[in-house]
Amino acid sequence: MSSHSYTSLWHFLIFSQVTMDITYLRTPLAFFLLPLVVLGAPTDEPNLTEPAPGTCKRCCDPPDSSTDAPPLPPSHQPWPYPVPEVRPYINITILKGEKGDRGEPGMPGKWGKEGPRGERGAQGPKGSKGQMGTAGDPCKHQYAAFSVGRKKALHSSEGFQVLVFDTVFVNLYSHFDMFNGKFYCYVGGLYYFSLNVHTWNFKETYMHIMHNEEEAVILYAQPSDRSIMQSQSLMLELQENDEIWVRLYKRERENAIYSDDVDVYITFNGYLVKPSLD
């Protein structure tokens, strides 16, 4: 073999070794060594894979893959540097999968603001009759009412005076004591009372509706040259054995109520509005 062939073979081995080393180096180092290898290789050397023109091959010679292999087409020639591997990248976030199962309901949130009141609905059907209640106390009346009057005038004295009545209009179950001029409560509950009197000319009218021994309300009229009808009313919640009565105030100046022994000018009324539940 000629010296020129040895030189070409030496260059080929160096080129192959450098190429194998470059494949294991990182890309910046490979691109740094590639120009040195390419520039150092001869450009006018014949291709080692092609047999020299005019040579012959004997049948007893061993097979040589470098000489028997057909030359690769120009488009399939190996590159002298590693080609980076291209891998497609797929953004899986833009791929829409199948609809998942429905999740469990979350915790209820806070109540919002109350909305406007809706319109009144239609009236419902009448309900069924309820059961009969328990029997009450047969000895206890659940009603109370009275209405009494007075035909005689009354003048104040040195002390307080109980207004006693002489005419009965209504006295249910005799709860009003005509002799003492007092109403005695036998049924506790809510009561309504009213007092009506006629004032006396040039005299003061000064009275109280009493609840037990305390003044509940006052009926008062200043002295005047004209007599008038004066009234007072109230509601009280009474307990059993409470007393309601009318008292004329003691004398400090002329204090009186008018009547003529014929007509009734003074009346006192009361009745039970609602009994207590107990």
Side-chain angles (χ1 to χ4, degrees), residues 21-32 82:
D21 294 338
I22 292 175
T23 58
Y24 291 97
L25 296 177
R26 294 185 178 180
T27 303
L29 184 59
F31 281 92
F32 177 77

Side-chain angles (χ1 to χ4, degrees), residues 192-259:
Y192 174 83
F193 299 98
S194 64
L195 174 64
N196 300 277
V197 300
H198 195 281
T199 63
W200 202 305
N201 293 356
F202 304 106
K203 293 183 180 182
E204 187 179 46
T205 302
Y206 196 167
M207 311 181 74
H208 286 106
I209 297 179
M210 304 292 293
H211 180 194
N212 296 326
E213 297 300 324
E214 296 181 358
E215 300 92 344
V217 292
I218 186 173
L219 186 151
Y220 179 78
Q222 291 182 346
S224 174
D225 58 351
R226 297 174 57 188
S227 60
I228 59 174
M229 294 295 297
Q230 193 80 354
S231 65
Q232 179 65 280
S233 60
L234 78 160
M235 296 183 72
L236 291 173
E237 186 173 1
L238 303 183
Q239 306 294 330
E240 289 189 35
N241 301 320
D242 281 353
E243 300 176 2
I244 302 297
W245 49 288
V246 180
R247 184 185 71 180
L248 188 67
Y249 199 72
K250 64 183 180 179
R251 181 174 182 175
E252 292 181 355
R253 58 182 177 179
E254 287 294 329
N255 180 16
I257 52 178
Y258 174 80
S259 189

Side-chain angles (χ1 to χ4, degrees), residues 140-147 170-173 175-176 183-194 234-242 244 268-278:
K140 187 173 183 179
H141 302 288
Q142 298 296 322
Y143 305 95
F146 72 90
S147 179
V170 174
N171 190 9
L172 189 62
Y173 306 121
H175 290 177
F176 191 90
F183 169 76
Y184 294 94
C185 177
Y186 291 95
V187 181
L190 186 65
Y191 283 80
Y192 174 83
F193 299 98
S194 64
L234 78 160
M235 296 183 72
L236 291 173
E237 186 173 1
L238 303 183
Q239 306 294 330
E240 289 189 35
N241 301 320
D242 281 353
I244 302 297
F268 186 37
N269 311 287
Y271 59 90
L272 175 64
V273 177
K274 184 179 182 300
S276 301
L277 298 178
D278 52 352

Side-chain angles (χ1 to χ4, degrees), residues 146-150 165-171 176 178 264 266-269:
F146 72 90
S147 179
V148 294
R150 181 183 174 95
F165 299 87
D166 52 27
T167 305
V168 176
F169 299 105
V170 174
N171 190 9
F176 191 90
M178 297 294 294
V264 178
I266 305 164
T267 60
F268 186 37
N269 311 287

Side-chain angles (χ1 to χ4, degrees), residues 72-134:
L72 296 175
S75 60
H76 293 280
Q77 292 293 337
W79 294 92
Y81 50 87
V83 179
E85 182 180 1
V86 178
R87 295 183 180 180
Y89 172 73
I90 301 177
N91 187 2
I92 62 175
T93 60
I94 64 175
L95 298 179
K96 184 177 181 181
E98 297 181 359
K99 186 177 180 180
D101 298 334
R102 184 182 181 89
E104 297 181 358
M107 296 294 293
K110 296 182 179 179
W111 286 94
K113 295 182 178 179
E114 184 177 358
R117 185 176 182 179
E119 298 180 357
R120 185 175 182 179
Q123 184 176 0
K126 185 178 180 180
S128 58
K129 187 177 180 180
Q131 298 180 356
M132 182 180 294
T134 58

